[in-house]
Structures are given as structure tokens and as C-alpha cells.
Amino acid sequence: MRYLTIALTKGRLAKKTLKLFEKAGIEAKEAEDDSTRKLIFEDPDMKIRYFLAKGPDVPTYVAYGAADIGIVGEDTILEEGRNIYEVMDLGFGKCRMCICGPESAREYLASGDQIRVATKYPNIAKDYFLNKKHRTVEIIKLNGSIELAPIVGLSEVICDIVETGTTLRENGLTVLEEVCPLSARVVVNPISMKMENERISDFVRRMKEAL
Ligand code: PRP
């Protein structure tokens, strides 16, 4: 039997996913060891192998079929826009995509003035302003610490993830508008969905039971 390959998202989601794997009876001890430099892990009994990748790369592995299954945040799924199936909401990694800025930016949002939006998610931001707010904005792509942008005057607002709200609070920023709620999802390659339907359904069933 061929191995079923699963792409996991490195970082916060990985810890929760690996705990879930253990509960579901998938060997995860080796992957949970933070000091390991190993990239790929396997459970020979379950005929499952999995690896850790950067979030935005997970939909790529799944879309090309290099991974049958992926576990990744809804933010990344929306941003990457790959041809993959979303089959399950894992219910953890809960947060919100929001438009944030200083309280003073509220008037810019309400006015028709040209505004600059700094974000790690240019596609989500563009879609929100164009299709929901019916206005064009200037999108400035950044790769992290997005909250800096309105503080130093790179942009009026940001489009970013808010989880606890601590980062905003500690930097004098606030949520101005909510774009959408987010959480971790299980995604599947469309061909794997047909060819490995039984095993993928079994994997999803195990995940549901473990939750
Ligand atoms: C994310 C996000 C916010 C923060 C929100 O950044 O971009 O900055 O977490 O969490 P909070 O509401 O609980 O404070 P992350 O830590 O992933 O790093 P980054 O800034 O490098 O993107």
C-alpha cells in the first residue's frame, strides 16, 4: 500500500496538530521533538508520512499532489487560492482577519480617499476592499510585524490576523473592521480525493474522534 502524505503547517498549528495525531493513534513523538532537523516523519503501521512546511507552501504541496492532505489555516487557503478541497474545520487556531489601525484611521476608511493597506495577505485585502467595500486601495505587501506599518507611516491601516488582540493593544492600534473568522482546516488534493477516498475518509474520521 502506498503511503498517504500529509503536509502540516510549521509553528503554532504544528503543536496542536501533532497532539491531535497522537490522540488519533498516529506516531508523533519524533516530530514533537523541537531539536530535530528531520523534515519528514512516518508511521509505518498506518502507512502515513507527514512533513512540516511554511504555511503558504502547504496548499502548493497539496495542489500539485506532492501531499494528499494538508493542515493549514483558512487565511492561507484564501490567500493562496489553490485548487484544493476543504474537507474539515479542525476548530483550533481560531482567530479573525481584520482591518486594523489607530482610531484616527476610521475617518480614512469612511471617506473615499485613497488609502494604503499594509498586509501579508494582498489577495484577501484586495478582495475585501474591491468586492465588499467597492473601493480601490493601495496594497503594500509585507512579510511580518505588520502592526509597524501604521505606526511609522507606511500605511493608514493593515489587514492582518487578530488572535488575542495583545499585539494591537500593546501598539496603540485597534480593530476597525472584521473581514472574516478563521481556523485550521484539513484540505485534500482533488485527485487523491477520488483515488484514496476511503483512506482519506478514515483519516478525517480519526481526526474528528480525536477532537
Ligand atoms: C500574528 C499576526 C499578529 C499577531 C496577532 O503574527 O500577524 O501580529 O500574530 O496575535 P495577537 O492578537 O494574539 O496578538 P505572528 O506572531 O504570526 O508573526 P508575524 O508578525 O511575523 O507575522
Side-chain angles (χ1 to χ4, degrees):
M1 190 166 41
R2 83 183 259 279
Y3 270 75
L4 208 57
T5 305
I6 309 173
L8 312 189
T9 301
K10 267 186 188 172
R12 292 181 229 197
L13 283 190
K15 290 204 160 56
K16 290 186 174 148
T17 308
L18 290 172
K19 269 206 199 101
L20 200 61
F21 271 21
E22 267 199 76
K23 272 199 194 164
I26 303 166
E27 177 55 45
K29 276 275 171 300
E30 208 184 354
E32 280 179 319
D33 173 6
D34 289 333
S35 65
T36 185
R37 295 295 296 164
K38 226 178 131 163
L39 292 171
I40 188 150
F41 306 91
E42 55 185 57
D43 184 323
D45 298 333
M46 304 269 294
K47 285 275 181 281
I48 281 177
R49 61 173 191 167
Y50 57 91
F51 59 87
L52 296 163
K54 287 250 187 190
D57 295 340
V58 170
T60 310
Y61 282 107
V62 176
Y64 279 92
D68 301 287
I69 300 172
I71 293 181
V72 62
E74 172 78 352
D75 51 329
T76 309
I77 299 170
L78 293 172
E79 181 61 28
E80 296 302 313
R82 294 281 187 178
N83 178 29
I84 50 181
Y85 292 157
E86 218 181 283
V87 298
M88 180 185 172
D89 183 349
L90 287 164
F92 57 74
K94 273 205 167 96
C95 50
R96 300 180 292 155
M97 185 65 70
C98 296
I99 306 302
C100 314
E103 196 55 51
S104 61
R106 224 179 262 282
E107 57 182 296
Y108 287 111
L109 276 178
S111 77
D113 294 354
Q114 179 72 4
I115 54 166
R116 296 168 299 176
V117 183
T119 187
K120 210 155 61 168
Y121 302 91
N123 293 325
I124 295 178
K126 213 176 297 167
D127 177 73
Y128 175 73
F129 281 103
L130 203 59
N131 297 323
K132 291 233 177 75
K133 307 292 287 186
H134 308 291
R135 67 182 289 179
T136 53
V137 294
E138 185 178 346
I139 308 279
I140 302 175
K141 162 87 201 262
L142 290 178
N143 294 293
S145 303
I146 315 301
E147 290 83 356
L148 269 175
I151 299 174
V152 298
L154 176 64
S155 70
E156 282 69 45
V157 297
I158 63 174
C159 174
D160 198 19
I161 286 171
V162 179
E163 191 181 353
T164 61
T166 311
T167 313
L168 291 179
R169 220 165 22 248
E170 291 189 357
N171 292 288
L173 305 174
T174 184
V175 171
L176 301 168
E177 290 173 8
E178 183 173 325
V179 178
C180 59
L182 304 165
S183 58
R185 305 294 161 105
V186 178
V187 293
V188 176
N189 171 275
I191 295 168
S192 303
M193 193 73 159
K194 288 204 190 94
M195 307 298 285
E196 298 283 0
N197 193 279
E198 215 169 295
R199 292 174 74 198
I200 290 171
S201 303
D202 180 61
F203 172 80
V204 170
R205 199 176 317 116
R206 277 169 179 275
M207 288 291 114
K208 282 188 177 150
E209 280 166 14
L211 277 173

